[in-house]
Amino acid sequence: MDTLFSNHTPDAIPAYKLPLSDDDLIMLGRLMAYWAQVDMFVDELIEMLFSIDYQKRVVLVGDKMVGAKLSILRKGISLCDSPELARAVTTFADLAAAVQAKRNHAAHGVWAWYIQPGMDQPELSARKAKDLSDRLRPAELHDLVSHTAAATRAGMDAAQIARGSETGRYRVRLFYGKEDMGDEWHPPQK
């Protein structure tokens, strides 16, 4: 049980009680964290395919949503130096697009109890503002997390191909900060 931010602490009580279990919330949290990696790979691959740096990407792409950025990335596939890279970027874009709508539903839908006349009991699901009949159930989160994780690995594979690195090797940790440090970090010697 979450003892810091449960529905029982005064500073974390929302307007409506959140009906998700702690396990459901863990899945939802993983989905959000994994999707951030998808978003990062879209940005990184746009930079690589269009041969632009971070600052130029920020100016050109700005705060566009992932769907709009995926469209830009798909246009860049024709600029790929090799068929292998084109296939890898296409695979990544397809996997990311396949989970995008449900990810948005999970992230932006309101988790509540769905009830209609004639139902024996309410069903827990995410309420979609544009279509109240389209419901995402907590049981769907596990597969959604798995598919999003697959998209992150495909993004890494595409980025590794673009860099000329070996594919299928995934880092345990991601560091960011000073750009010229590379992937290796060594703690300062005392």
Side-chain angles (χ1 to χ4, degrees):
M1 170 61 124
D2 175 7
T3 57
L4 183 60
F5 286 107
S6 72
N7 286 323
H8 308 290
T9 59
D11 60 339
I13 297 174
Y16 292 103
K17 182 177 180 180
L18 193 59
L20 294 169
S21 70
D22 286 346
D23 289 340
D24 295 337
L25 289 169
I26 288 169
M27 284 292 118
L28 189 58
R30 284 182 181 160
L31 177 60
M32 297 308 109
Y34 294 1
W35 188 254
Q37 291 183 29
V38 168
D39 194 4
M40 179 192 72
F41 282 120
V42 172
D43 289 344
E44 188 175 339
L45 289 165
I46 286 173
E47 291 171 15
M48 292 174 174
L49 296 188
F50 289 95
S51 300
I52 58 176
D53 61 23
Y54 168 83
Q55 290 85 6
K56 289 177 184 164
R57 180 192 45 83
V58 169
V59 169
L60 294 171
V61 177
D63 294 332
K64 290 189 184 311
M65 302 287 212
V66 174
K69 293 192 298 186
L70 278 170
S71 178
I72 292 168
L73 179 63
R74 286 185 191 279
K75 290 176 183 175
I77 292 171
S78 65
L79 303 173
C80 289
D81 295 337
S82 73
E84 179 188 24
L85 178 57
R87 279 191 302 276
V89 173
T90 299
T91 297
F92 167 64
D94 289 348
L95 289 172
V99 298
Q100 182 185 4
K102 281 196 174 191
R103 177 267 169 199
N104 289 345
H105 192 162
H108 303 293
V110 176
W111 289 92
W113 293 101
Y114 179 79
I115 187 75
Q116 287 290 314
M119 289 178 69
D120 291 336
Q121 57 186 349
E123 294 178 0
L124 176 56
S125 61
R127 175 185 179 267
K128 193 174 189 179
K130 293 181 182 178
D131 182 1
L132 298 181
S133 66
D134 185 5
R135 299 184 312 277
L136 180 72
R137 290 156 184 86
E140 297 175 71
L141 290 174
H142 186 273
D143 284 344
L144 189 53
V145 166
S146 295
H147 293 153
T148 305
T152 68
R153 294 188 303 273
M156 174 64 90
D157 286 343
Q160 288 172 328
I161 291 168
R163 288 188 204 102
S165 316
E166 183 181 344
T167 61
R169 297 185 60 188
Y170 308 109
R171 295 181 213 160
V172 176
R173 297 183 198 137
L174 174 66
F175 292 98
Y176 71 97
K178 189 163 173 54
E179 290 181 30
D180 61 2
M181 285 178 62
D183 291 337
E184 296 298 319
W185 174 74
H186 304 283
Q189 300 297 317
K190 291 185 178 184

